[in-house]
Amino acid sequence: MAISGIQSQTDYTALVSGKKINSAADDAAGMAIANKLESQSKGLSVGSSNAQTGQDLLKVADGGLSSIQDSLQRIRELSVQASNTAIYSSGDIRSMQQEIDGLKQSIQDVAKGTSFNTMKLLDGSMADLNLATNPQGGGMKIQMVNSTLESLGIADYNVTGNFNIKDIDDAIKKVSDARSSLGAQSNALTHTININDYSAYNTTASKSKIEDTDYAKEVTEQKKNEVLDKYRIFNIKAQAESEASILRLFQ
């Protein structure tokens, strides 16, 4: 009876908790494996979260570069106009330069002001950013570009004197290449997120197979134990009644 009672209690515990491994005594090896799988699954989930944060950072950086690119395109338009000295006077060209100076200041403000979680993204102060996208804490690097006027090579660009539109073309290309790089890195992070989420799902499923209760099996086992308990009780009562009948014969 004692053994049956313990088994019945174990069955009920598995049914109530939803876990067939509720202590190391239930399955020491299984518990150790389940704990490792849980660490792996949580690490993958955190890696996905980190990758998503990295994508948010890339979106902020791309927004800043987009604004800089628009300003550069406008500077190029004004530069082409300023090249037509047959039509525009020196006063007209000075007015164009005033607009260019405003655009250059806008570029500098964006380069120095674009930030994510207080981190400057486009002023050259951020080296490659390491993202922990896997369960071991490793992952990939996000490359930032220096988009200040000095780095773009147009700090002294002035259409009232000698100037070369190629300087603006080079700056536009640098920003365009940087945006393409950010897009590629964002796509890579999307791939990482998908892999991590799929791996985390499979890892959790494996953990579940090890430690979660098989309700159909446990209910069947519980019913079987209940029948066996009733059968044992019936046999004990029958044996007691038989012994009592025998004793009455000798009285």
Side-chain angles (χ1 to χ4, degrees):
M1 285 293 291
I3 295 176
S4 175
I6 293 173
Q7 180 63 47
S8 179
Q9 182 179 2
T10 301
D11 293 340
Y12 276 123
T13 300
L15 287 171
V16 172
S17 69
K19 304 289 184 183
K20 62 185 175 184
I21 303 177
N22 292 283
S23 68
D26 295 331
D27 184 352
M31 176 171 279
I33 294 172
N35 286 336
K36 290 180 181 178
L37 290 173
E38 182 175 9
S39 296
Q40 180 80 1
S41 178
K42 288 184 176 179
L44 288 165
S45 296
V46 172
S48 287
S49 178
N50 289 343
Q52 289 168 354
T53 300
Q55 285 187 318
D56 293 338
L57 182 150
L58 291 175
K59 289 177 182 178
V60 172
D62 184 63
L65 290 174
S66 176
S67 175
I68 290 173
Q69 193 170 48
D70 290 342
S71 295
L72 288 171
Q73 291 289 3
R74 178 56 182 160
I75 291 174
R76 193 183 193 287
E77 291 176 16
L78 292 168
S79 298
V80 173
Q81 282 185 295
S83 298
N84 195 3
T85 55
I87 295 178
Y88 296 108
S89 67
S90 58
D92 293 332
I93 294 175
R94 283 195 297 271
S95 295
M96 293 176 192
Q97 181 59 39
Q98 287 178 351
E99 184 177 349
I100 288 174
D101 287 340
L103 292 166
K104 286 166 61 179
Q105 185 59 53
S106 175
I107 290 173
Q108 196 77 332
D109 290 343
V110 171
K112 291 183 176 296
T114 301
S115 61
F116 184 86
N117 193 28
T118 73
M119 296 183 297
K120 302 293 185 180
L121 302 182
L122 303 177
D123 67 350
S125 63
M126 176 181 285
D128 292 345
L129 180 65
N130 293 312
L131 281 181
T133 57
N134 63 45
Q136 290 73 39
M140 65 176 289
K141 290 182 178 180
I142 291 181
Q143 296 176 332
M144 291 291 105
V145 62
N146 186 339
S147 299
T148 60
L149 294 174
E150 293 76 16
S151 178
L152 295 176
I154 58 171
D156 299 321
Y157 190 79
N158 192 320
V159 296
T160 62
N162 293 326
F163 67 96
N164 190 340
I165 295 179
K166 184 177 182 301
D167 293 338
I168 300 300
D169 289 336
D170 290 343
I172 291 173
K173 183 178 185 305
K174 183 173 182 178
V175 172
S176 180
D177 289 347
R179 295 190 69 189
S180 295
S181 177
L182 294 184
Q185 291 176 81
S186 182
N187 290 338
L189 287 174
T190 296
H191 182 65
T192 297
I193 291 168
N194 291 336
I195 290 177
N196 280 3
D197 290 347
Y198 183 72
S199 298
Y201 172 82
N202 287 331
T203 302
T204 300
S206 298
K207 173 177 173 285
S208 178
K209 289 179 181 178
I210 294 173
E211 68 174 7
D212 287 357
T213 297
D214 183 339
Y215 279 96
K217 179 180 178 181
E218 290 296 337
V219 169
T220 301
E221 189 69 20
Q222 186 68 27
K223 294 296 183 183
K224 182 187 77 173
N225 290 333
E226 289 176 358
V227 171
L228 290 175
D229 284 343
K230 291 178 180 179
Y231 179 73
R232 293 187 188 97
I233 292 172
F234 174 80
N235 283 342
I236 291 172
K237 287 182 177 180
Q239 184 178 356
E241 290 175 358
S242 175
E243 291 175 353
S245 297
I246 293 173
L247 288 174
R248 283 196 296 272
L249 291 176
F250 290 97
Q251 288 178 351

